[in-house]
Amino acid sequence: MSSSYRHILVTGGAGFIGSHLVRMLLARPVARVTNVDKLTYAGNPANLADIAGDPRYHFVHLDIADLRLRAVLRENPPDAIINVAAETHVDRAIADPLVFARTDVLGTQNLLECAREIGVRRFVQVSTDEVYGSISEGAATEDSPLQPGNPYSASKAGGDLLCLSYANTYGLAVSVCRGANTYGPHQYPEKFIPLAITNLLTGQPVPLYGDGRQRRDWLYVLDHCAGILTVLEKGVPGEVYNIAAEQERENREILARLLALLDAPDEAVRRVTDRPGHDRRYAMDADKLRALGWSPKKPVEVGLAETVDWYRQHSKWWQSIRQGDAFIAYYARQYPMLPPLA
Ligand code: NAD
Ligand code: TDX
């Protein structure tokens, strides 16, 4: 796909989804990709080591909630913005919610203000299926009510609503995309799949919350990025698009598959106290995005096997995270019932 935009600003490009997105953009004939990232615990320049020397790639170390963002955008105005940056982990939101509102709500609004001032042609907000809350049956469409169930999803819903208000009030060309649970290479090992893989690779038990029968719709990261770029190119301003894989699995099924791929015994699974306010099921209908020509390509069983291979082959990447003091302290706080990492 060629791009109609010459200079695209991506926020959060040093994180999991953002780094794949930056790489996908640079594979196109774009003139410039600017990545604005605060480099929180989840931002890792190593995720972009392979493209760091590309003269079309520019990195700006900044918080999206920082008012100095205006000067950065004025100096080198992008014609499109994709807001990927966020605080993203539900368990951290439950333990320490304030930074979620700061980044996911206020940061989004600061970026919208900058976009309005420089007159950006296009703005895509990367959001999540979690804003619809737990779906007991059927699948959420873009018109379903927002019923976020935890401080992370409530902050993301706040960001979505600000985006849509800027489309309505100022005519800013904003579209919102809501992605399903995403997995693949370079995912920070706090999330369920990479935590399970790296624990199994190091002989640690894997925590399974509650009865393990919560359902998630697992979307491969490159399918998610292709969906975001479809919204960038073909989405209608003011509209929302779900990016769903439409392949739900129970958490215990995912874990059973990982045990099989890694040849680990059933005893490696440790049932632990459930997450407070744990959403039971996420499910979205993706017909609206499919109508624009996008469809998910990766069956979850294939994607899981490839992801396990990637983590096997890139132990330096995840060991350097897991052996750091910050991760060890996080793990001890989050999983006091499990053996500590160090
Ligand atoms: P991640 O946690 O791996 O990366 C987040 C990135 O944002 C990091 O590089 C971090 O340094 C940066 N960041 C955080 N706060 C910032 C701030 N204030 N200013 C600038 N940069 C900041 O996240 P991810 O899993 O790649 O998620 C990316 C986006 O996709 C988020 O908006 C998230 O809500 C959304 N999303 C994620 C999933 C998923 O399953 N991972 C699913 C649906 C939607
Ligand atoms: O150790 C664990 N054990 C466990 O059973 C962890 C970390 C999770 N779980 C469960 C909780 C969820 O039901 O696995 C499921 C997936 O958990 P997470 O990876 O934390 O994802 P989730 O809470 O579903 O949210 C994710 O999807 C939507 C992302 O983290 C969000 O950023 C995204 O918006």
Side-chain angles (χ1 to χ4, degrees), residues 110-283:
N110 191 37
L111 194 60
L112 286 164
E113 278 296 296
C114 296
R116 189 160 83 86
E117 185 182 313
I118 61 166
V120 81
R121 280 171 53 212
R122 198 80 181 91
F123 189 115
V124 176
Q125 170 73 357
V126 174
S127 185
T128 167
D129 57 0
E130 295 207 18
V131 298
Y132 298 117
S134 198
I135 304 292
S136 50
E137 51 191 53
T141 69
E142 290 79 358
D143 297 324
S144 295
L146 301 188
Q147 294 184 315
N150 61 63
Y152 161 67
S153 50
S155 299
K156 291 295 292 185
D160 287 18
L161 293 177
L162 281 166
C163 285
L164 296 172
S165 81
Y166 273 62
N168 185 55
T169 307
Y170 306 113
L172 195 70
V174 194
S175 299
V176 174
C177 49
R178 298 189 175 136
N181 271 70
T182 305
Y183 71 100
H186 286 127
Q187 186 167 29
Y188 191 85
E190 65 190 349
K191 304 290 193 317
F192 181 50
I193 288 178
L195 180 81
I197 295 172
T198 54
N199 273 20
L200 293 172
L201 285 170
T202 50
Q204 301 283 339
V206 180
L208 184 65
Y209 295 168
D211 64 5
R213 300 186 67 177
Q214 302 81 9
R215 300 177 75 85
R216 296 291 184 267
D217 173 27
W218 291 102
L219 177 66
Y220 191 65
V221 64
L222 297 181
D223 284 333
H224 191 158
C225 292
I228 294 168
L229 295 187
T230 302
V231 173
L232 174 75
E233 296 294 342
K234 299 183 185 169
V236 175
E239 293 286 321
V240 177
Y241 297 87
N242 292 341
I243 311 179
E246 297 172 319
Q247 42 184 352
E248 276 178 55
R249 299 287 184 276
E250 287 187 352
N251 291 341
R252 58 180 190 167
E253 282 180 73
I254 294 290
L255 202 42
R257 173 67 61 159
L258 294 176
L259 293 179
L261 286 166
L262 286 154
D263 209 14
D266 290 348
E267 295 71 52
V269 178
R270 192 73 53 86
R271 287 278 186 87
V272 300
T273 315
D274 207 354
R275 174 186 275 175
H278 197 168
D279 287 334
R280 200 71 189 156
R281 174 173 177 259
Y282 298 137

Side-chain angles (χ1 to χ4, degrees), residues 11-19 35-44 47 60 62-66 83-89 99 102-104 107 125-130 152 156 177-183 186-188 190-191 218-219 221 224 228 243:
T11 68
F16 165 49
I17 296 170
S19 59
N35 171 19
V36 173
D37 198 300
K38 182 182 173 185
L39 296 181
T40 66
Y41 75 93
N44 185 351
N47 292 346
V60 179
L62 195 64
D63 183 336
I64 57 164
D66 190 318
N83 185 26
V84 186
E87 289 291 339
T88 62
H89 193 43
V99 69
R102 178 176 157 80
T103 290
D104 303 4
Q125 170 73 357
V126 174
S127 185
T128 167
D129 57 0
E130 295 207 18
Y152 161 67
K156 291 295 292 185
C177 49
R178 298 189 175 136
N181 271 70
T182 305
Y183 71 100
H186 286 127
Q187 186 167 29
Y188 191 85
E190 65 190 349
K191 304 290 193 317
W218 291 102
L219 177 66
V221 64
H224 191 158
I228 294 168
I243 311 179

